[in-house]
Amino acid sequence: MELKLPYIDPADFAATLTNNYSFGNSGAWNSINLMFPENVGEGALQLYIRNDIHYFRGKWKFKEESMFISKDQVGKKGLIDFRVNKSGQIHSASIEGDKRFEWEITEVDGFRFFIPEKYLNLHNGRFPDHFEKYCYNNNIINLQKQILTLSPDDIPSAMLLESKMLEFIYYWIDYLRTEEIDLHFDDISNRHLSAVNNAHEIVQNHINKTLSIKLLSRKVGLNEYDLKKNFKKIYGLPIHQYHIKLRLEQARELIRTTDLPIATISQIIGYSNRGHFSSLYQRFFGTSPLQDRLNSAH
């Protein structure tokens, strides 16, 4: 499949996806939520448009190999593009000297942003090295993890997602000016950082289990206070809320993609009380499990 899209003008970008490729289009906080049509693939984009910058978080998978091609000239309107993927790859057509926006997009999990050149110190010949050094700083890697943990189809997280992306942009612009990053962050020791990351992995691998902070802190070798404080700092939510978020996201995926009874899905993710599960689901997504099941059937 080949997607031919305007890329520099975000409103045209959203309109073309909606009008030419049948993407769903709805407002979400200060953003536009663009959902893949089922016959094309699965996934979503959360697009934020400001006066002279725009940025989006995307996570999707096309059903067939797909390419993105734009007629927009790289650097048009003085905009510099950046792409950061979950795999750790960083790219910029502007910096790398590409003539066209053209790349394979079959499966993507990352974020993109466009910044006017006037905000960036581009006179330094080491600009590409600076961006790489910035992205591979431990604090910025953790910020990227926070961004990539937030799903673009999770409307309740749209505001938090934007705040994290704005942090990433702000620190990048400031780094070009000062060449300082770590001053913006409270110091987290390598030991604490490693322990929190281990705790995060355990939480992800035990979505359907009852979570004990005390037991978790013992497993990773960090006291409860430091674990809770640093987990929220790195991943943007308290441990219990993050655990609930993972459970409900898995439930939504099962509701949308399988024929399993909702009561069974509730059990799978660790909720024996279906009424409690439905109440949490409604508060988190704004729709009931049954409504999501019916919507996914259309």
Side-chain angles (χ1 to χ4, degrees):
M1 183 174 181
E2 195 173 87
L3 272 74
K4 296 181 179 179
L5 297 167
Y7 205 44
I8 295 298
D9 187 317
D12 282 350
F13 173 75
T16 304
L17 281 173
T18 303
N19 298 330
N20 295 7
Y21 298 100
S22 302
F23 275 57
N25 185 321
S26 61
W29 295 104
N30 292 318
S31 64
I32 300 171
N33 185 253
L34 296 157
M35 297 293 296
F36 271 57
E38 290 185 3
N39 64 311
V40 171
E42 58 182 13
L45 294 85
Q46 199 79 8
L47 172 64
Y48 303 87
I49 305 174
R50 291 295 174 262
N51 287 340
D52 52 0
I53 68 172
H54 62 277
Y55 39 96
F56 68 82
R57 162 83 173 103
K59 183 177 182 180
W60 65 76
K61 184 176 182 179
F62 282 90
K63 289 184 176 180
E64 59 182 86
E65 290 188 9
S66 299
M67 287 289 297
F68 163 74
I69 299 174
S70 178
K71 291 183 178 180
D72 285 341
Q73 181 183 353
V74 175
K76 185 178 179 181
K77 296 183 179 180
L79 291 176
I80 307 298
D81 67 293
F82 300 93
R83 293 178 285 140
V84 181
N85 291 335
K86 191 171 186 177
S87 60
Q89 295 178 325
I90 54 177
H91 294 289
S92 167
S94 303
I95 292 176
E96 293 164 15
D98 294 341
K99 303 300 181 184
R100 301 179 68 189
F101 294 116
E102 179 178 334
W103 50 77
E104 188 265 336
I105 57 165
T106 307
E107 186 169 3
V108 168
D109 187 355
F111 56 96
R112 314 283 188 267
F113 53 96
F114 289 80
I115 303 178
E117 182 177 346
K118 64 184 179 182
Y119 296 138
L120 303 171
N121 175 18
L122 296 181
H123 302 296
N124 189 329
R126 295 182 62 237
F127 183 77
D129 294 336
H130 274 54
F131 186 59
E132 184 172 294
K133 184 177 179 182
Y134 170 77
C135 287
Y136 293 149
N137 173 274
N138 282 335
N139 284 309
I140 300 305
I141 287 173
N142 282 323
L143 180 55
Q144 291 175 52
K145 287 180 180 179
Q146 292 173 41
I147 293 171
L148 294 168
T149 294
L150 297 168
S151 175
D153 66 353
D154 179 13
I155 305 304
S157 296
M159 186 179 292
L160 177 60
L161 175 58
E162 180 178 33
S163 72
K164 294 298 179 183
M165 292 189 72
L166 285 173
E167 279 187 65
F168 185 91
I169 294 169
Y170 169 76
Y171 295 144
W172 166 227
I173 292 174
D174 190 63
Y175 174 66
L176 286 174
R177 182 177 60 86
T178 65
E179 299 199 10
E180 292 285 350
I181 301 176
D182 296 331
L183 291 178
H184 293 291
F185 298 86
D186 293 333
D187 186 40
I188 300 178
S189 69
N190 289 334
R191 185 180 74 83
H192 282 200
L193 183 58
S194 176
V196 170
N197 287 335
N198 287 341
H200 177 254
E201 186 175 347
I202 291 171
V203 171
Q204 285 188 309
N205 291 335
H206 296 81
I207 291 176
N208 62 340
K209 303 295 184 182
T210 301
L211 189 63
S212 165
I213 304 297
K214 181 177 290 187
L215 181 60
L216 187 62
S217 70
R218 289 175 181 171
K219 283 187 174 182
V220 301
L222 191 62
N223 69 67
E224 291 183 51
Y225 173 80
D226 285 333
L227 175 60
K228 290 189 289 187
K229 179 184 72 173
N230 290 322
F231 191 99
K232 183 177 180 181
K233 186 183 299 180
I234 294 173
Y235 293 103
L237 289 171
I239 296 173
H240 275 304
Q241 288 185 28
Y242 187 84
H243 188 223
I244 291 170
K245 174 179 177 293
L246 291 181
R247 282 178 153 184
L248 295 177
E249 286 175 346
Q250 184 183 52
R252 194 180 207 190
E253 179 69 15
L254 291 171
I255 286 170
R256 288 178 166 181
T257 60
T258 74
D259 294 325
L260 290 171
I262 292 173
T264 301
I265 292 173
S266 174
Q267 294 282 345
I268 287 173
I269 66 165
Y271 289 109
S272 57
N273 186 321
R274 180 179 168 179
H276 177 58
F277 162 69
S278 295
S279 177
L280 283 174
Y281 194 100
Q282 176 86 37
R283 290 206 303 269
F284 192 81
F285 293 116
T287 58
S288 70
L290 181 57
Q291 286 173 319
D292 261 357
R293 170 60 58 80
L294 293 174
N295 290 338
S296 66
H298 295 308

